[in-house]
Amino acid sequence: MDAAKPVATPLAVNTKMSRIGTQKFEDPTLYRNVCGALQYLYLTRPDIAVAVNKVCQFMQDPYIEHWELIKRILRYLKHTVQHGLVLRKSSDISFHAYSDSDWSGNLDD
């Protein structure tokens, strides 16, 4: 993916993914390996957390459409290498969390 076109977001607006696709992905082990690597990466790149969560939902039975979503995340990452969080020791132990609960957008449930 060295010559991949850049994308501005890791996930397209209003992306709807279902468990069932048109064609099974031929190498499920590759799919799982890339998902696992993305899970480690999103600890310092929270901008990809939602997209990584979405692709990890299909690890047990990936389809081509799911792989296309992974490739979009990789295209986003390739062109935003300078983004990320720096983790440092701090005496402030306050914690802030945000949530977006859009359960109506799930096609499978």
Side-chain angles (χ1 to χ4, degrees):
M1 296 194 61
D2 286 336
K5 288 184 183 179
V7 290
T9 60
L11 191 62
V13 176
N14 295 326
T15 299
K16 303 286 185 190
M17 296 299 290
S18 178
R19 269 184 272 183
I20 306 299
T22 57
Q23 180 183 353
K24 292 226 183 224
F25 185 62
E26 66 276 353
D27 190 358
T29 303
L30 173 64
Y31 185 93
R32 292 179 189 111
N33 286 339
V34 175
C35 280
L38 289 173
Q39 283 180 319
Y40 280 107
L41 181 61
Y42 91 84
L43 294 173
T44 59
R45 293 289 306 265
D47 52 334
I48 65 169
V50 172
V52 171
N53 177 287
K54 185 59 77 177
V55 296
C56 288
Q57 292 176 9
F58 308 111
M59 284 199 301
Q60 73 281 358
D61 192 23
Y63 283 80
I64 293 295
E65 291 86 353
H66 306 141
W67 180 247
E68 293 298 322
L69 188 55
I70 284 182
K71 289 196 312 187
R72 181 181 175 96
I73 297 169
L74 294 175
R75 287 171 46 208
Y76 172 76
L77 289 171
K78 182 179 184 320
H79 297 285
T80 59
V81 174
Q82 72 281 5
H83 295 151
L85 294 177
V86 178
L87 303 174
R88 294 187 189 113
K89 183 179 176 182
S90 173
S91 60
D92 179 18
I93 57 172
S94 64
F95 184 75
H96 302 277
Y98 302 93
S99 173
D100 177 20
S101 55
D102 178 22
W103 294 104
S104 66
N106 190 334
L107 297 177
D108 296 318
D109 293 334

